[in-house]
Amino acid sequence: MVIMSTLFRLLGLRAEDSRKLWVMLPVFYCGGIAELLNYTAFMALFNQRFGVQFLPFVYIVEALIMPLEGWLLAKLAEKLPKAKLMRTLYLMMTGLLLINGLILLGFKLGDIDYRYYYPILFICSNFVVRQLTLLLWSTAFDLCPTQQAKRVMPIFVGAAMVGGITAGFIAQQVTHYWGTEAVYLLSPCFLLLGLWNFRKAIAQYLAPLTIKNEARSGVLETASAVDPSATSGAYIRQMLRNPFLICAVALMTLMPALYFLMEYQYFTTTQQAYPNERDLTAYYGMIITIQFTVALVLQTFAGRLMSWLGASNMLLGIAIVFIGGFGISALFIDTPLGLVAVSGAYAIFYILLYYTAEPCYQLFFKMLPISQRDGVRYVAQGIAASGGILLGALLSLLHSEGLLEIKIQAIIGVAIAALLVAVAWFGRNLYIKELVKSVQSFHTDLSDTAASFLGGMRNTKVLQGVLEYLNDPNDHVRELALEMIGKAKDSSFLPRLVELIHDKNPRIRIAALRAMNLQGATLQELVQVASFLEDEEPGVRVECVKLIAKAEHLKSQSHYFIRMKLLDTHPQVVAEGIRAIYALQSEESYPACDEAVIKLLDTGGEWAVYGCGIIADLKLHTYTDWIISLLEDHRPAVKVAAVHCLGKLQYDESIGFLLLMYPRADQELRKTIVQGLIDMGNKGIAALMEGLQNPHPLIWDACVAALSDLLPESQIRQTLVESCVQRLQDSSKEKALSSAIGTLGLAGLADLAEQRYKEIRIALCDAAWSVLSKLADERVVATVRETVQDENEEIRENGLEVLAEGLGDRRLAYALLDMLKDNGSEAEGEALEDPKVVLEQACHWSDDWLRSIAAHALNGEVQGEMANDQKLLSMLDKVIFLKQVSLFSDVSVDELGLIAGITHEEVFPDQTFLLRQGETNSSMHLIIEGNVELSSVSSNGLESTLGVLGPKQSIGETTALDQAKSSITAQVIFDEVRVLSLRGDNLERLVRLYPEIGIGLLHASSARVRLLESMLTKMG
């Protein structure tokens, strides 16, 4: 276990990666063996029994067949669900190899031969070589989220390469004893060995992710049908108008053409050297062993090399290697060293083309908007694949037909490789212009794409070209140029960047500061940069403080400038100044930093938020007591910042208090509390384990959510699974309360009790899902969770069926399945026995709301007050009322309690104006009792009544949000009106936290506008 964890740490893997690795590694290993055994055998058989001189003709036929192959596979993809398509393709390729292997075995045993069978063998087997690699890579990418794919794909590639090495050894040994036919027949056998793992991976990870595919396919087909531009012809025209894409297609065509030309030379030379079929197959196996051993070594640093050089330089380097390969071939091909030279060039070309050039190609298409990217990519790759094969085949044909000597053919290869270098260089220079053009059409972090393509961007010519765009009128282009300059980390650009201090756009000033490099800067340059510290924009001052803190060679001067910012008028600048002084380790200013931190916390509000952030970042534990006191602050943002800070400080003594806060917290604060508990790390596990015994369902839910992130999988299975199963099974008692209250005729309370039970049920299910996501693939769990809530019954049943398979953990999956299938029929039966007994029992339950609802029902006073708790009753009354207002109908009981806590009840006498036309308004009013008349005065002085609002309707919500002048007058009529009032700033926070409230306000405003339009129409 220790060795495994150490290995995972060295490889950058995580615990959740292990499940997919154990399932998929055998598939890639067996697939690597099968692919190379197949390739070795069919090439040897074709070259010896049909003739290597006919290789160009077969390649030409294959190039013509490839478009039909792509069309057939596309049709197959349309007809079959994703998971079934993957299994079908795997079985199809296994079947093709098996049939061909049996035919070859029949030839051998029957001592017969049919020469014209071998072109068919070639085409079928080469189809498997092409599609098996694509199938394995696409399966791995579909199974893994993007970040996980980055971690595990190098391991999968390594497994495939080790499979190639193994195939080389197998080919060398088997061919000596049983012949080339046996080598070929072993290929489908290894695919069959990997089949069980492949099907398991599909069933566990891919099939659940595609449950909704059939339902979604109709939408996707409709969407594609209405896009007239999404055609091959349109994409071809787009490429022809774009010089950069033409260069990309040229590169993607010339590289394969050169590879196939070298492959022809390799097969021709080896056939001449080894006329015996067994010797030839053994030699192929030896080359494959050497080839993939080298590839495995290169794989260890290929990623770092590509990051350093960039894709453009890698392609340029590959083109130069191609020149060298053909040059060496031309020099030595007629000498005793010819076989070694050609074999070495072929092996290197294979590795560079399939393992290096292929990923580089993909960056060409990053310049296109996402909606066009795939279409252009597929069309370009289709053209390049067919064109490359045809060009390589035609060049090979010149030798096979006796028109050229093989040495002259190699010299032609040198010339084409030189053309390839020119194309790669020209395309590299076009890249910057294409990048700038892309800014006009879509926004993304293009500087990262540029770094991936251009590498570290140390080339002076490239950087000078980028510098020219600092004068571009488009601010987005200038920002992009500054980002790219910043990645170069070149201090020579500092004078040009300092000039941007006077730019009118603060975003450009900020980007200029981020692009600067003060390493080695002079004092005069530092003073120039420090002038940004007086900028009127706080964000500019913040970036300037960050930058100056990096000038460690001028530490005392940097400290002088930064210390002045401790007195800045903006809290973010002050906080960044404190952080910078600690980064410079200027201990003489630590007391001044303490004063600044105290000022941040003491001022409160936004200042306290930044104060909490700086305390968390610098781990200033001396302020923990002060942070604890901020948990009582009435401002939600301060509470959130304080909880975040306590988590980062790993102050585990606060866990008990945080758990008590959780049930009454809003959505944002709840998320922060859970994250804070996770940030406590191992220090908080003991307290959270105690929290698992807490009877309150929401507190328990928070503990489970945190522990599922902190505990190893084995402990999750031992502890959390058991706790979840028990809670899920014991949750049935709360179902009876709603029916019991309903029998007493208290409909409002019954609805509230029903909603609360559903919320507790959701909390319990949330905990179960969070545990399952740690025991199975997170994307699979998320997809299954989505499908079991789908409106479509068939999709929902499919999701429940996946859950019934024992997803993650069988016991927990079954307990969750039982709860999801429960329709509440038991609750009615229990409630009918004795409603009063149920209510009395509910008064002692763990949930505060259910206890309050039960007590309220026992008193039988829906609008009254509880004698022993005035505040609790008024709160519950408000909650019952808010629940019946359409704006808040989809809000949880806890959230209704929070809203009720920030409203206040008011009574307005008859004829009082709640709103006046042309005046601003600071509150929204929800009518409890009474009526309000809406009226408006037109520009010509004509007054008209727009309508009358009654109970459970709202007034003033729009003007309370934007502080605009009211377009109507609202006046109390027919006696007094009683309302719940909500201030505009509180309403704005509610809309931000709960989008459903914003949607409700939009509907209410739309209804009001329709009413106004109707009245204006009548008046007209």
Side-chain angles (χ1 to χ4, degrees):
M1 184 64 72
V2 175
I3 297 175
M4 187 62 67
S5 60
T6 304
L7 182 62
F8 268 49
R9 188 171 61 255
L10 290 174
L11 294 174
L13 299 172
R14 297 181 183 175
E16 62 265 25
D17 302 332
S18 61
R19 288 186 293 270
K20 286 180 183 171
L21 284 174
W22 292 126
V23 173
M24 288 299 295
L25 277 177
V27 178
F28 275 87
Y29 178 67
C30 292
I33 296 175
E35 181 180 332
L36 271 300
L37 287 177
N38 166 46
Y39 180 77
T40 301
F42 86 75
M43 276 299 189
L45 290 167
F46 178 86
N47 292 340
Q48 283 289 349
R49 301 185 185 182
F50 194 75
V52 72
Q53 68 272 20
F54 296 108
L55 193 60
F57 294 102
V58 181
Y59 273 134
I60 291 171
V61 173
E62 195 171 35
L64 297 174
I65 290 175
M66 280 180 70
L68 178 62
E69 174 189 310
W71 179 80
L72 289 172
L73 289 176
K75 285 295 181 184
L76 193 63
E78 290 176 8
K79 299 294 183 183
L80 298 177
K82 180 78 171 179
K84 191 173 182 180
L85 173 68
M86 296 292 197
R87 290 192 293 265
T88 302
L89 287 176
Y90 193 97
L91 291 172
M92 181 192 300
M93 288 183 277
T94 305
L96 274 174
L97 295 183
L98 193 58
I99 292 170
N100 281 312
L102 293 173
I103 291 173
L104 291 171
L105 185 62
F107 283 178
K108 186 177 181 67
L109 295 176
D111 197 23
I112 58 175
D113 200 13
Y114 182 65
R115 184 169 181 263
Y116 292 99
Y117 161 72
Y118 295 103
I120 299 172
L121 175 71
F122 184 103
I123 291 171
C124 292
S125 301
N126 214 22
F127 165 79
V128 175
V129 170
R130 281 195 309 274
Q131 296 302 328
L132 181 60
T133 303
L134 292 175
L135 177 64
L136 293 183
W137 291 152
S138 63
T139 303
F141 275 111
D142 286 338
L143 262 57
C144 302
T146 303
Q147 295 305 315
Q148 187 180 48
K150 289 180 180 179
R151 298 192 299 270
V152 301
M153 286 306 290
I155 311 299
F156 292 155
V157 172
M161 287 180 175
V162 172
I165 296 169
T166 307
F169 282 116
I170 292 173
Q172 293 175 68
Q173 300 303 316
V174 170
T175 191
H176 283 304
Y177 295 101
W178 295 289
T180 308
E181 294 91 347
V183 174
Y184 191 97
L185 194 55
L186 280 176
S187 179
C189 295
F190 277 99
L191 282 182
L192 289 172
L193 278 178
L195 178 60
W196 187 85
N197 278 66
F198 185 79
R199 290 179 66 87
K200 182 179 178 182
I202 296 293
Q204 285 189 353
Y205 300 114
L206 187 58
L209 291 174
T210 56
I211 294 174
K212 285 194 171 186
N213 268 8
E214 292 183 6
R216 289 173 178 159
S217 62
V219 178
L220 295 176
E221 287 170 8
T222 304
S224 62
V226 297
D227 184 5
S229 64
T231 62
S232 298
Y235 292 137
I236 291 171
R237 288 192 296 273
Q238 182 178 353
M239 284 188 292
L240 291 175
R241 291 194 298 265
N242 190 323
F244 178 72
L245 288 178
I246 292 174
C247 280
V249 173
L251 280 171
M252 295 167 64
T253 303
L254 291 175
M255 277 193 180
L258 288 170
Y259 164 76
F260 285 115
L261 183 60
M262 179 56 71
E263 184 184 57
Y264 174 81
Q265 292 200 336
Y266 168 68
F267 288 137
T268 301
T269 307
T270 52
Q271 188 190 31
Q272 291 172 355
Y274 295 98
N276 181 275
E277 184 180 295
R278 294 194 175 194
D279 293 340
L280 180 66
T281 307
Y283 183 79
Y284 285 170
M286 182 187 71
I287 293 298
I288 285 171
T289 302
I290 297 171
Q291 180 180 0
F292 277 86
T293 303
V294 172
L296 190 60
V297 173
L298 289 176
Q299 178 67 20
T300 58
F301 59 87
R304 290 192 295 273
L305 183 64
M306 187 174 290
S307 297
W308 183 64
L309 290 177
S312 64
N313 289 320
M314 289 294 288
L315 292 172
L316 197 60
I318 292 171
I320 293 170
V321 171
F322 278 19
I323 291 178
F326 278 106
I328 292 172
S329 175
L331 286 173
F332 295 103
I333 201 163
D334 292 333
T335 70
L337 295 175
L339 181 62
V340 175
V342 174
S343 299
Y346 161 76
I348 292 172
F349 282 18
Y350 183 94
I351 294 169
L352 292 179
L353 182 67
Y354 290 109
Y355 290 94
T356 305
E358 190 63 39
C360 294
Y361 293 157
Q362 305 308 316
L363 285 172
F364 291 130
F365 307 104
K366 287 280 189 178
M367 295 300 97
L368 300 170
I370 293 176
S371 59
Q372 302 174 14
R373 194 174 298 165
D374 283 339
V376 174
R377 177 195 285 124
Y378 293 142
V379 170
Q381 288 178 335
I383 292 172
S386 295
I389 292 175
L390 281 172
L391 181 58
L394 290 173
L395 290 171
S396 302
L397 197 62
L398 294 175
H399 173 266
S400 66
E401 292 297 301
L403 300 176
L404 282 180
E405 294 181 6
I406 196 165
K407 185 172 184 175
I408 302 300
Q409 189 187 52
I411 295 172
I412 292 174
V414 172
I416 296 175
L419 175 62
L420 182 66
V421 170
V423 173
W425 180 260
F426 185 61
R428 188 180 188 280
N429 291 333
L430 285 174
Y431 187 82
I432 300 297
K433 293 180 180 179
E434 193 65 26
L435 194 72
V436 171
K437 189 190 303 180
S438 300
V439 176
Q440 318 294 332
S441 57
F442 69 105
H443 301 291
T444 184
D445 192 359
L446 290 173
S447 62
D448 285 343
T449 307
S452 298
F453 191 81
L454 299 171
M457 290 184 288
R458 289 164 292 277
N459 185 284
T460 304
K461 185 176 180 180
V462 170
L463 289 172
Q464 288 296 337
V466 173
L467 205 62
E468 294 176 3
Y469 288 103
L470 294 182
N471 298 319
D472 196 280
N474 188 317
D475 285 342
H476 292 298
V477 171
R478 293 199 291 157
E479 274 191 89
L480 175 61
L482 287 168
E483 283 187 58
M484 293 172 66
I485 290 170
K487 290 183 183 297
K489 295 180 171 54
D490 191 337
S491 57
S492 65
F493 294 112
L494 186 59
R496 178 68 181 88
L497 297 175
V498 171
E499 295 175 8
L500 296 175
I501 189 174
H502 301 297
D503 196 278
K504 62 181 180 180
N505 188 340
R507 291 174 59 92
I508 297 299
R509 302 200 295 273
I510 290 173
L513 285 166
R514 289 174 178 169
M516 291 179 186
N517 180 17
L518 291 185
Q519 299 300 320
T522 65
L523 178 59
Q524 183 180 1
E525 290 172 331
L526 180 66
V527 172
Q528 288 179 308
V529 172
S531 60
F532 281 92
L533 290 172
E534 304 306 319
D535 195 279
E536 61 182 12
E537 184 66 33
V540 176
R541 303 201 297 273
V542 167
E543 288 299 328
C544 190
V545 170
K546 289 181 182 178
L547 178 64
I548 291 175
K550 297 176 183 177
E552 297 178 357
H553 64 294
L554 298 171
K555 179 178 176 180
S556 59
Q557 293 85 353
S558 299
H559 168 252
Y560 169 76
F561 288 120
I562 291 171
R563 178 162 177 160
M564 292 190 301
K565 290 291 101 182
L566 297 180
L567 302 175
D568 198 274
T569 56
H570 195 279
Q572 187 180 5
V573 181
V574 175
E576 200 56 52
I578 297 169
R579 187 180 284 107
I581 286 175
Y582 272 86
L584 290 170
Q585 298 181 346
S586 303
E587 296 184 10
E588 67 273 19
S589 291
Y590 285 178
C593 288
D594 288 337
E595 292 178 11
V597 171
I598 291 171
K599 178 184 177 183
L600 288 169
L601 297 177
D602 200 35
T603 304
E606 184 183 10
W607 288 73
V609 171
Y610 283 108
C612 290
I614 202 68
I615 291 169
D617 291 344
L618 299 177
K619 302 293 188 291
L620 304 177
H621 294 276
T622 54
Y623 294 97
T624 50
D625 290 340
W626 203 326
I627 299 298
I628 288 288
S629 69
L630 292 179
L631 294 176
E632 303 288 350
D633 196 286
H634 69 281
R635 286 159 289 205
V638 176
K639 286 184 180 180
V640 168
V643 170
H644 171 76
C645 181
L646 290 171
K648 291 298 182 182
L649 293 176
Q650 295 190 335
Y651 187 59
D652 56 306
E653 294 179 20
S654 65
I655 289 178
F657 192 74
L658 294 179
L659 290 175
L660 290 175
M661 287 176 60
Y662 187 80
R664 295 292 185 181
D666 60 32
Q667 290 181 358
E668 184 178 8
L669 185 54
R670 281 186 180 178
K671 290 178 182 177
T672 309
I673 289 173
V674 171
Q675 187 57 53
L677 295 174
I678 294 171
D679 290 338
M680 298 282 181
N682 292 334
K683 292 179 66 176
I685 289 179
L688 292 171
M689 294 294 283
E690 290 181 15
L692 283 181
Q693 310 307 318
N694 194 299
H696 197 293
L698 297 182
I699 293 177
W700 173 83
D701 177 40
C703 292
V704 171
L707 285 170
S708 62
D709 256 59
L710 295 172
L711 296 177
E713 183 175 325
S714 58
Q715 202 168 349
I716 289 175
R717 291 188 183 277
Q718 292 172 4
T719 306
L720 297 187
V721 168
E722 182 63 36
S723 182
C724 287
V725 170
Q726 185 175 348
R727 289 275 182 157
L728 290 170
Q729 291 174 347
D730 293 345
S731 65
S732 59
K733 63 181 181 181
E734 288 95 349
K735 294 185 293 185
L737 183 59
S738 175
S739 297
I741 296 174
T743 60
L744 300 178
L746 305 175
L749 268 182
D751 289 344
L752 201 62
E754 176 68 17
Q755 179 175 342
R756 185 57 180 174
Y757 165 66
K758 290 179 179 178
E759 290 166 9
I760 291 173
R761 184 171 173 269
I762 290 171
L764 296 174
C765 291
D766 285 345
W769 286 117
S770 65
V771 172
L772 286 177
S773 68
K774 303 302 177 183
L775 303 177
D777 183 79
E778 289 188 30
R779 289 193 309 162
V780 170
V781 173
T783 302
V784 174
R785 184 176 183 176
E786 181 185 349
T787 56
V788 298
Q789 299 169 350
D790 199 277
E791 295 179 359
N792 186 302
E793 184 177 357
E794 183 179 352
I795 293 175
R796 190 167 59 250
E797 288 299 322
N798 288 339
L800 293 173
E801 185 177 342
V802 173
L803 194 59
E805 293 292 325
L807 180 67
D809 180 270
R810 194 166 296 277
R811 287 183 60 219
L812 181 54
Y814 286 169
L816 180 58
L817 185 65
D818 289 340
M819 175 164 277
L820 293 174
K821 285 186 173 182
D822 187 5
N823 59 12
S825 58
E826 290 181 39
E828 296 180 6
E830 290 179 15
L832 291 174
E833 291 179 6
D834 192 343
K836 190 171 182 181
V837 171
V838 175
L839 293 174
E840 289 174 348
Q841 290 175 347
C843 289
H844 304 285
W845 289 348
S846 60
D847 183 66
D848 298 335
W849 285 109
L850 291 180
R851 288 202 311 269
S852 302
I853 291 168
H856 204 292
L858 282 173
N859 285 345
E861 298 175 325
V862 179
Q863 298 296 329
E865 296 180 355
M866 276 183 66
N868 64 345
D869 198 338
Q870 171 86 22
K871 183 178 179 181
L872 184 60
L873 178 63
S874 64
M875 178 69 72
L876 192 57
D877 284 338
K878 287 182 180 179
V879 169
I880 295 171
F881 170 73
L882 290 171
K883 171 64 180 170
Q884 300 172 45
V885 176
S886 59
L887 287 179
F888 307 106
S889 58
D890 295 325
V891 179
S892 73
V893 176
D894 282 322
E895 292 157 351
L896 288 173
L898 290 171
I899 298 169
I902 57 176
T903 61
H904 58 281
E905 188 175 345
E906 293 184 277
V907 178
F908 295 100
D910 192 15
Q911 301 303 308
T912 303
F913 288 97
L914 300 183
L915 296 176
R916 287 183 183 272
Q917 187 174 351
E919 296 181 4
T920 58
N921 166 53
S922 61
S923 297
M924 178 182 79
H925 305 293
L926 301 169
I927 303 172
I928 302 173
E929 291 178 344
N931 297 279
V932 176
E933 181 186 48
L934 304 182
S935 61
S936 176
V937 178
S938 63
S939 57
N940 57 10
L942 180 64
E943 183 176 0
S944 59
T945 299
L946 301 178
V948 176
L949 300 180
K952 302 173 187 174
Q953 292 184 292
S954 62
I955 183 66
E957 63 274 7
T958 305
T959 52
L961 276 173
D962 59 12
Q963 296 298 304
K965 294 181 179 180
S966 176
S967 59
I968 59 173
T969 296
Q971 186 178 22
V972 179
I973 59 171
F974 309 138
D975 206 356
E976 68 181 18
V977 67
R978 192 154 60 100
V979 300
L980 280 182
S981 298
L982 186 63
R983 288 182 55 82
D985 53 351
N986 290 327
L987 179 61
E988 182 179 353
R989 175 174 170 79
L990 288 175
V991 170
R992 182 170 63 85
L993 285 176
Y994 312 114
E996 58 269 21
I997 294 178
I999 294 172
L1001 289 173
L1002 182 62
H1003 288 322
S1005 299
S1006 299
R1008 203 74 44 77
V1009 169
R1010 287 194 297 272
L1011 177 63
L1012 180 61
E1013 289 175 345
S1014 175
M1015 291 299 299
L1016 290 174
T1017 302
K1018 292 178 181 178
M1019 290 169 61

